[in-house]
Amino acid sequence: MTEREYLVALSSYIYFGPARIKLLIDYFGSAKYAYKAEQKSLISIGLKVERATDFIRYRNEFELKDYFDKLKKLNINFLTINDNGYPQNLVDLDSAPPVLYIKGNIEPADSNSVAIVGTRKMTFYGKEVTEKFTRELANMGITIVSGLALGIDACAHKACLDEGGRTIAVLASGLDIITPGANTALAKRIVEGHGALISEYPLGHPPLRTNFASRNRIISGLSRAVLVIEGAQQSGTLLTASSAAEQGRPVFAVPGQITSPMSAAPLFLIANGAKMATSVKDILEELNLEFRFDREKMENIMPQTKEEEELSNIITNEPVHLDEIVRISGLNVSDISARLTIMELKGLVRSLGGGIYKKI
């Protein structure tokens, strides 16, 4: 076995977290020697007798060859923290997973990622806002990260795929257990399309309640920023925002109706220092993610479409409101918003704020 494979074997014992595994490797000199350490040696460095005994039992029963054969059969790859392809955004985190299981593909461009998270009890407003932000970000080549949960998460993944963008779903279980089951088809679509499923958990590990907080730190860690769209006052979404803050990632929240229970989490975050996001520009400007392309290059990358021509004919040198553009064009609000954002980056139109645009 290679050192990489020994690290996979060592981390498959889930009671050893990232910090413990790092200590073991530092002490014994390698994952191989840590994995093969005698019980008395493990106890001598601070492991409780019960834990050391349990690890030895686990190691004796763990069929290494069968495990790696199963990974291959399921088309699941793995990256260790020492591999070149390991996500750059995670490398420097204290709690970075020693091993990541991946189904699909990770690309260097995924370092330009934004996490979109929120409630499972998504409202119509939440759906509309999620689709708007996701489509606009995906159109700009930004990878969307989320957790494959029902509601906002699933909506973000779907909208990104519909736009031809890249999306990454982080699971709280082994990749052979897709949860929730209702999103199995979506998971398959992500793998077969543009993106990946990721987990730090070994095959067969169930989605225990305690796993989700750990999963959330990977969602935020993979991303340059976290955008929260809807969530109740005691929402798990706040855990992702908390992880982001601890990791030094900016947190954005979309304000909602003050009478809606699903606005509680975003409004709480805004009141406590999160940045309010009402358009994709808020995120781009904060992260300095604005594309540094000249106009000619931008037009080559995103050539003018029939929709842009139609909007250009509607928008004149005099300011015109988004509602008027929708009325005249008959197009969907979210589609127009996404296209106007791209046109603004191309230098074709300018937003004057408040939904008002003019031709440049």
Side-chain angles (χ1 to χ4, degrees):
M1 279 176 52
T2 65
E3 178 67 8
R4 293 177 73 245
E5 291 170 329
Y6 274 113
L7 184 52
V8 170
L10 185 64
S11 66
S12 72
Y13 183 68
I14 60 166
Y15 299 103
F16 287 164
R20 175 66 70 182
I21 289 175
K22 186 177 185 305
L23 287 172
L24 288 170
I25 292 174
D26 287 346
Y27 182 83
F28 290 106
S30 70
K32 174 181 178 179
Y33 292 129
Y35 186 73
K36 291 188 169 185
E38 295 181 358
Q39 183 174 2
K40 63 180 181 180
S41 297
L42 294 170
I43 295 171
S44 70
I45 62 169
L47 254 65
K48 293 182 178 180
V49 175
E50 296 81 4
R51 179 61 61 218
T53 302
D54 187 62
F55 172 65
I56 298 298
R57 176 200 58 76
Y58 171 82
R59 185 177 69 189
N60 291 337
E61 295 175 357
F62 186 56
E63 297 291 343
L64 292 170
K65 184 178 182 304
D66 290 348
Y67 187 77
F68 288 109
D69 285 346
K70 188 173 182 181
L71 285 174
K72 186 175 182 180
K73 183 178 180 181
L74 294 172
N75 292 317
I76 295 173
N77 298 313
F78 65 86
L79 285 171
T80 75
I81 196 168
N82 303 314
D83 293 336
N84 289 332
Y86 191 89
Q88 192 61 43
N89 291 350
L90 286 177
V91 169
D92 296 328
L93 299 183
D94 292 337
S95 60
V99 174
L100 280 177
Y101 295 93
I102 300 166
K103 193 161 188 177
N105 65 298
I106 298 292
E107 297 182 357
D110 293 332
S111 60
N112 236 16
S113 299
V114 170
I116 297 181
V117 296
T119 182
R120 289 169 172 79
K121 299 177 180 178
M122 177 177 63
T123 67
F124 178 80
Y125 168 78
K127 181 176 185 294
E128 185 179 33
V129 169
T130 300
E131 290 176 346
K132 169 181 165 58
F133 275 89
T134 300
R135 286 172 178 169
E136 293 178 13
L137 289 168
N139 265 314
M140 296 169 199
I142 295 172
T143 300
I144 303 301
V145 180
S146 201
L148 200 69
L150 298 172
I152 298 295
D153 289 21
C155 182
H157 291 306
K158 289 175 184 174
C160 184
L161 292 171
D162 289 344
E163 208 65 26
R166 287 189 52 77
T167 186
I168 294 172
V170 186
L171 275 60
S173 62
L175 292 186
D176 55 336
I177 304 173
I178 302 300
T179 53
N183 283 339
T184 299
L186 175 58
K188 182 179 180 182
R189 190 180 168 200
I190 291 171
V191 172
E192 294 177 348
H194 301 84
L197 307 181
I198 286 181
S199 178
E200 67 177 320
Y201 294 105
L203 297 182
H205 188 67
L208 304 175
R209 182 179 292 273
T210 53
N211 295 358
F212 287 90
S214 295
R215 184 277 304 268
N216 291 344
R217 88 186 192 287
I218 298 178
I219 290 176
S220 57
L222 282 170
S223 310
R224 295 277 301 277
V226 171
L227 175 65
V228 176
I229 302 175
E230 292 197 318
Q233 192 163 4
Q234 300 298 323
S235 173
T237 300
L238 293 176
L239 295 176
T240 308
S242 177
S243 292
E246 291 173 2
Q247 295 163 345
R249 306 288 197 261
V251 177
F252 295 85
V254 177
Q257 296 177 334
I258 61 173
T259 55
S260 171
M262 293 303 109
S263 296
L267 293 177
F268 171 82
L269 290 170
I270 292 170
N272 285 274
K275 301 177 187 300
M276 182 170 66
T278 58
S279 77
V280 122
K281 285 185 65 181
D282 296 325
I283 300 172
L284 296 177
E285 289 172 359
E286 175 67 23
L287 298 181
N288 194 28
L289 282 178
E290 229 167 317
F291 288 87
R292 296 179 176 85
F293 298 134
D294 58 30
R295 181 169 177 171
E296 181 180 356
K297 187 173 181 182
M298 179 66 78
E299 289 176 347
N300 287 335
I301 292 172
M302 293 184 289
Q304 191 167 19
T305 64
K306 290 181 180 179
E307 290 84 359
E308 286 181 9
E309 290 179 6
E310 184 176 352
L311 293 178
S312 293
N313 291 331
I314 296 171
I315 302 171
T316 65
N317 293 330
E318 294 299 318
V320 58
H321 196 275
L322 178 62
D323 292 342
E324 185 67 7
I325 301 171
V326 171
R327 185 187 67 78
I328 297 172
S329 68
L331 298 173
N332 182 281
V333 176
S334 59
D335 289 341
I336 291 176
S337 295
R339 184 52 57 188
L340 286 174
T341 300
I342 293 171
M343 290 175 69
E344 189 173 3
L345 288 172
K346 287 183 178 182
L348 301 175
V349 300
R350 188 170 78 185
S351 171
L352 302 180
I356 298 174
Y357 293 84
K358 67 176 290 186
K359 187 179 291 185
I360 295 177

